[in-house]
Amino acid sequence: MRIDPASPLQWTAVLLIGAAGILLLYNTLPVALAYPRAGSTALVLFSLFAIPFWWLRGRVSDRLALPAAALAIGLVWGATVAVMTSLFGSRALHGLLATANGPAWAERWSPVLAAPVVEEVVKAAGVVLVVAIAWGRVHGVLDGIVLGAFCGVGFQIVEGYAFAMSSTVLNRAGDVVEPVIAVFIVRGVLAGLWSHAVFTAIVGAGVAYAATRRTMRSVWVAAGSLAGVIALHALWNSPLLRDGLGLGALGVLAGVMLKGLPAVLIVWWLVRWAKRVEAPVASGPEAA
């Protein structure tokens, strides 16, 4: 995948990622400098999210044609453009919901009605942009699954880091790692692999299916994958089973698994289906 100064798609990616990266640094760098120990711990811990999906890439590498540069763009898009757009977009929708139904209602339902729409649409846009930049290099659905997972992982790392640093500041105990570890246990160990990377992997499968089939039906499949992921994300953010039906920590854990399991099973099925119907890439995996 070569750099092309005349490519509008590449310039779009560079400008949006650059602008979002500047905004991200503006919002996170002061706290990172004030709490270096907590910040470095949070970055290391939440970066662990990438390991399972790097392992997945290795497991299906014989069927991947997207170059490593394409996956890197997806990762950076998720970590910058998707995060910053979702931050401002979700706030805007929260304000609209508060105006229409009152602040208390919006506080309860904005994570269900606003965040999934904004976050999944922006992450999907990144997948579409990367597929367009690497047009002709998409071999099949597995390319889209891995690309989507990398985009979601980028989002997940930065979001988890932001929650951890916010908890550190609110804790008012100085540059300590305990709040970071507590957030990582909740958002990483308990909920980490059930959310953004898995959701965007499903959308990536739909986008890659449309890119390789190029039929109206395949376009509807891609649109349906996005709509389905928004619904799964809304279920994940919903108050349903949040209290574990009063069964304590085990009940809460069971609730998390029940809400997250459908998306994981869909990705598992998609990977198995794609490995069955898609032939290996003749020239092997390429790293741009």
Side-chain angles (χ1 to χ4, degrees):
M1 196 167 69
R2 299 173 181 174
I3 297 175
D4 181 5
S7 170
L9 293 170
Q10 291 189 17
W11 274 111
T12 298
V14 169
L15 292 175
L16 289 177
I17 289 173
I22 292 171
L23 281 174
L24 179 64
L25 288 175
Y26 178 80
N27 281 272
T28 60
L29 192 56
V31 177
L33 294 176
Y35 301 92
R37 186 181 175 205
S40 58
T41 301
L43 187 60
V44 169
L45 287 177
F46 284 98
S47 293
L48 297 176
F49 284 151
I51 293 177
F53 299 99
W54 185 261
W55 173 83
L56 171 64
R57 177 182 181 270
R59 291 279 295 179
V60 298
S61 61
D62 62 326
R63 288 173 169 81
L64 297 182
L66 274 180
L71 301 181
I73 294 172
L75 180 75
V76 176
W77 176 280
T80 56
V81 180
V83 168
M84 298 312 300
T85 305
S86 297
L87 175 64
F88 293 109
S90 296
R91 284 178 181 175
L93 284 181
H94 181 277
L96 291 174
L97 293 173
T99 301
N101 300 292
W105 191 93
E107 192 67 29
R108 180 176 178 82
W109 291 105
S110 179
V112 179
L113 301 177
V117 174
V118 176
E119 293 173 4
E120 298 309 329
V121 168
V122 179
K123 288 186 293 174
V127 173
V128 171
L129 180 61
V130 174
V131 168
I133 290 173
W135 193 254
R137 300 291 296 276
V138 180
H139 175 66
V141 168
L142 281 171
D143 277 312
I145 291 173
V146 175
L147 172 60
F150 271 65
C151 183
V153 162
F155 188 101
Q156 209 160 341
I157 290 171
V158 175
E159 184 187 57
Y161 173 87
F163 272 99
M165 296 310 292
S166 177
S167 178
T168 300
V169 173
L170 293 174
N171 189 57
R172 298 178 183 273
D175 189 17
V176 295
V177 301
E178 285 79 2
V180 172
I181 294 174
V183 171
F184 178 73
I185 290 173
V186 174
R187 299 191 65 86
V189 177
L190 298 182
L193 297 180
W194 309 88
S195 53
H196 291 290
V198 172
F199 295 149
T200 319
I202 296 172
V203 174
V207 172
Y209 184 84
T212 52
R213 270 66 175 184
R214 305 182 192 180
T215 64
M216 184 55 67
R217 178 179 177 273
S218 68
V219 172
W220 282 108
V221 169
S225 71
L226 176 58
V229 160
I230 290 173
L232 288 169
H233 195 159
L235 172 65
W236 175 254
N237 284 4
S238 73
L240 182 67
L241 299 178
R242 187 171 294 169
D243 61 354
L245 299 177
L247 299 177
L250 288 178
V252 172
L253 178 60
V256 168
M257 293 181 66
L258 284 174
K259 291 199 292 184
L261 194 57
V264 175
L265 290 177
I266 289 171
V267 171
W268 175 79
W269 181 85
L270 286 170
V271 170
R272 286 179 60 87
W273 174 84
K275 289 180 71 174
R276 188 172 65 251
V277 303
E278 295 175 357
V281 179
S283 58
E286 295 181 39

